[in-house]
Amino acid sequence: MTRRTLLGSATAVVAVAVTGAAAGPAAATGQAATTTAGSPPSTPARHGEVPAIWREFTRSPFTHPQIPYVGRAGLGGGAARLPRRRVVTDVRHHGAFAADGTTDCAPAINRAIAAAGRAGGGTVTIPPGTYRIDDLIRIGHSNVVLRGAGSGRTTLYATKNLTELIGAYGSRYGGDKSSWSWAGGLIWLAPTARLDSLVDAIRAKAWPFEGWTGNTRDAWQTLTTVEPARQGSWTVTVADASGLRPGALVLLRLADDADHTLLEHMSGGGPGPEAYYWDDKTKLTSYVPYEWPVRVARVRGRRVTLERPLPLDVRTEWDPRLTTHVEELTGSGVEGLTLEAVETPQSPHLLDKGYNGVVLQCAYDCWVDDVTVRHVDNGFGLVAASACTLRRTRVAGRGSHHPYFCREGSHDNLIEDFTIEERTVPAPAGTQLHGINVEGLSSYNVWSRGDMRMGTFDSHRGLPFANVRTDITVDNDGRHGGDASAGPLFGARFTHWNIRVTNGRAGLMKIDGLAPYSATVGVNEVTEFDQIDVPDFTGDLHARLELYGTTDAVRPRNLYEAQRGL
């Protein structure tokens, strides 16, 4: 059977699941309510309404102009179950015991993790109790899992911040900002060599790039050039496949040209992006070339099949190639614990000291499950991380700058069943609250089934594109950030699907007037107040608004789960 035949069969199955009827014009219970930017709100939908845009998507899921294909986001291409690694050691065997909180257990925990790494992987267990840590916890070997007894039973109590442990971390873009405001974690999952190089650069005040090609973005070699292909293709033709093998992780590297046609393509193309002035967006252009990690699924002659479909067109003018990268962390995770920082007042905006939670960096097919962070500056971070899953995570305590951040070219990640609790103390003057952040050309990430009791759908500019937020309740009281030099708030194919805004604030929820070639589907009626943005691009944004004025009536209710069903 062909991929088209399989997809057609799966589409019919999913259509039955979400509508209770066969796919086709008769599947919906009534006309989809659709408007364009600036049009009046549509009539509320009836229960179980299937919007027109979903029926369109099922006909062309890999190339739809407004909705991205994210059905393979997360670990293992969207695997429902997380891996289970055999238990190889317990932190008590290395000297870590839950006691009166006066003994630093970080050295023993790190010794246990290192021992699991030397054994080729496995699970390190932490029994119930509270364990003081005066250093960061490093997971630097693949296939190593740190597992507590549950987020309500095992606690790591962190007494120091990253400024104390590593040093002040300035911004590579200048100014007096602290990069601990958006980088690093007290539990840090990153390849050992990569993390060591970052720490050395920070201590030398040689502020690094943080991604897949090293501190100066030169740690890569070409494996082969790639012939032109279209977005959504699963197979590409290469000049020389001799250096490729199934299962290998490679980078697809796309460079921009002098006319910035790659950035225009990420924005959907057309008159608006063509008229945009890109040359002074120096922070944005520092993120290019675009680097997309992906596993090779099959090699036949010069034809290479990938684990996921192409996120963008591949064009000759962008010098497309498959390359090497720094060694990845893969198959590792953190489970079943709470990381609680010593409670200190939240720092002024952009001056965080680094009481940060869990960060995945240069990680692929890694995960976090049943983990709470409390009293942190920044909660959970994805930094040049791809194909990772964060499940059942929670940010709690005195209030955070970035509860979640996703940056530095992070792609294809899944954050599901997440909670941002209401802060336990009032926000100090001069602090800032964001929410679920995405920036820095990050693409095809999903936030699903969330309970946000504070925060917002934060874009820090940097042209993130093709990201999805779906089935989320949010008290929309945060604000987005981002330097002007980082360029547009949104690229193309952003989708907000079935969003319940409890305080009725439109900002960054209803995005048909902001995001080009994007979709807002099934959001309740909202109005503009507080931070109000204007579109970065002129003219028709080609954005879609459907089933406005409703929530939970849209079918499918969860866009990611429905796509995974395809």
Side-chain angles (χ1 to χ4, degrees):
M1 296 178 69
T2 66
R3 183 181 297 277
R4 181 183 300 273
T5 302
L6 287 168
L7 179 61
S9 300
T11 299
V13 171
V14 171
V16 170
V18 300
T19 69
T29 58
Q31 289 290 322
T34 306
T35 70
T36 57
S39 299
S42 61
T43 302
R46 289 178 288 274
H47 179 70
E49 179 122 16
V50 179
I53 199 168
W54 170 252
R55 296 196 297 273
E56 294 171 12
F57 176 83
T58 60
R59 291 193 290 269
S60 58
F62 309 129
T63 58
H64 193 275
Q66 281 97 8
I67 295 179
Y69 175 73
V70 293
R72 292 185 65 80
L75 176 147
R81 294 184 179 180
L82 301 177
R84 299 291 289 180
R85 304 269 184 253
R86 65 186 180 92
V87 175
V88 294
T89 192
D90 186 291
V91 297
R92 292 172 296 185
H93 300 158
H94 301 266
F97 296 95
D100 58 5
T102 62
T103 302
D104 176 17
C105 295
I109 295 172
N110 282 323
R111 284 195 297 268
I113 292 169
R118 289 192 299 270
T123 296
V124 176
T125 56
I126 312 178
T130 297
Y131 300 77
R132 172 173 169 165
I133 57 171
D134 296 344
D135 198 356
L136 60 92
I137 302 302
R138 301 168 177 242
I139 300 177
H141 293 87
S142 292
N143 301 315
V144 172
V145 178
L146 182 65
R147 181 188 300 155
S151 59
R153 302 182 67 201
T154 296
T155 296
L156 303 184
Y157 181 67
T159 63
K160 295 184 179 180
N161 58 58
L162 293 169
T163 301
E164 295 173 285
L165 296 172
I166 296 175
Y169 187 4
S171 170
R172 66 178 183 253
Y173 301 104
D176 59 356
K177 302 171 185 176
S178 167
S179 285
W180 297 130
S181 299
W182 54 76
L186 292 169
I187 300 178
W188 203 329
L189 292 85
T192 296
R194 187 72 185 100
L195 182 52
D196 287 347
S197 72
L198 289 165
V199 170
D200 290 345
I202 292 164
R203 288 175 173 165
K205 301 189 184 305
W207 313 131
F209 285 91
E210 299 158 285
W212 287 100
T213 50
N215 294 346
T216 55
R217 298 198 75 181
D218 58 359
W220 62 276
Q221 294 180 335
T222 297
L223 295 168
T224 182
T225 56
V226 183
E227 294 185 4
R230 296 299 302 273
Q231 173 202 325
S233 300
W234 293 71
T235 300
V236 295
T237 301
V238 302
D240 179 8
S242 61
L244 305 175
R245 59 177 176 79
L249 185 69
V250 298
L251 289 187
L252 173 66
R253 178 183 173 93
L254 300 178
D256 205 3
D257 59 13
D259 293 327
H260 300 296
T261 59
L262 176 60
L263 296 177
E264 291 174 3
H265 177 54
M266 292 171 173
S267 305
E274 290 172 2
Y276 187 79
Y277 189 71
W278 302 95
D279 287 341
D280 62 349
K281 309 304 185 296
T282 52
K283 188 172 184 179
L284 172 61
T285 53
S286 77
Y287 301 142
V288 181
Y290 175 77
E291 296 167 341
W292 182 61
V294 65
R295 290 200 191 279
V296 174
R298 185 174 63 191
V299 180
R300 290 190 175 177
R302 295 194 300 123
R303 299 282 287 169
V304 178
T305 301
L306 305 174
E307 182 182 31
R308 290 174 170 82
L310 288 177
L312 295 164
D313 287 353
V314 172
R315 301 180 188 173
T316 303
E317 56 265 35
W318 301 331
D319 189 24
R321 55 188 66 209
L322 299 180
T323 76
T324 63
H325 49 83
V326 299
E327 182 181 3
E328 72 270 17
L329 183 75
T330 187
S332 295
V334 179
E335 302 174 349
L337 58 82
T338 289
L339 174 66
E340 180 173 338
V342 58
E343 187 170 0
T344 60
Q346 185 178 348
S347 295
H349 189 219
L350 301 177
L351 297 178
D352 293 344
K353 295 180 176 66
Y355 290 107
N356 295 348
V358 183
V359 165
L360 293 83
Q361 185 161 5
C362 296
Y364 195 95
D365 276 339
C366 293
W367 70 91
V368 179
D369 181 38
D370 182 28
V371 172
T372 294
V373 295
R374 183 174 288 115
H375 302 321
V376 293
D377 294 337
N378 301 282
F380 295 89
L382 297 159
V383 182
S386 292
C388 295
T389 293
L390 277 62
R391 182 174 294 168
R392 299 190 297 167
T393 55
R394 179 179 296 264
V395 181
R398 51 87 155 154
S400 300
H401 180 193
H402 295 94
Y404 292 81
F405 57 94
C406 177
R407 51 176 291 271
E408 204 77 9
S410 291
H411 314 292
D412 304 301
N413 298 293
L414 171 64
I415 302 94
E416 65 179 357
D417 298 311
F418 66 95
T419 301
I420 303 174
E421 292 188 1
E422 188 175 358
R423 64 188 310 135
T424 55
V425 296
T431 60
Q432 187 65 274
L433 166 66
H434 298 308
I436 52 174
N437 156 268
V438 61
E439 59 182 287
L441 298 185
S442 296
S443 63
Y444 293 86
N445 300 289
V446 177
W447 291 261
S448 170
R449 294 199 305 266
D451 178 10
M452 297 176 59
R453 300 167 198 173
M454 64 178 191
T456 193
F457 290 180
D458 172 38
S459 166
H460 261 49
R461 301 190 175 275
L463 197 64
F465 66 93
N467 297 285
V468 168
R469 286 101 168 215
T470 182
D471 194 9
I472 298 171
T473 300
V474 53
D475 191 64
N476 185 24
D477 63 353
R479 296 170 65 85
H480 77 75
D483 295 337
S485 64
L489 278 170
F490 301 101
R493 298 187 304 286
F494 252 84
T495 302
H496 290 175
W497 186 286
N498 192 22
I499 306 300
R500 300 168 289 274
V501 186
T502 59
N503 64 344
R505 178 181 166 218
L508 300 180
M509 304 288 128
K510 181 177 177 288
I511 56 173
D512 57 295
L514 290 175
Y517 287 92
S518 293
T520 304
V521 180
V523 61
N524 54 280
E525 289 192 15
V526 289
T527 57
E528 293 281 8
F529 61 89
D530 192 27
Q531 188 178 48
I532 299 174
D533 291 291
V534 297
D536 293 290
F537 303 110
T538 58
D540 187 356
L541 295 180
H542 301 279
R544 300 278 290 274
L545 177 65
E546 295 200 34
L547 305 190
Y548 176 57
T550 72
T551 55
D552 295 325
V554 59
R555 294 294 182 272
R557 175 189 175 97
N558 186 293
L559 181 62
Y560 167 71
E561 292 175 357
Q563 287 197 24
R564 190 168 63 183
L566 295 178

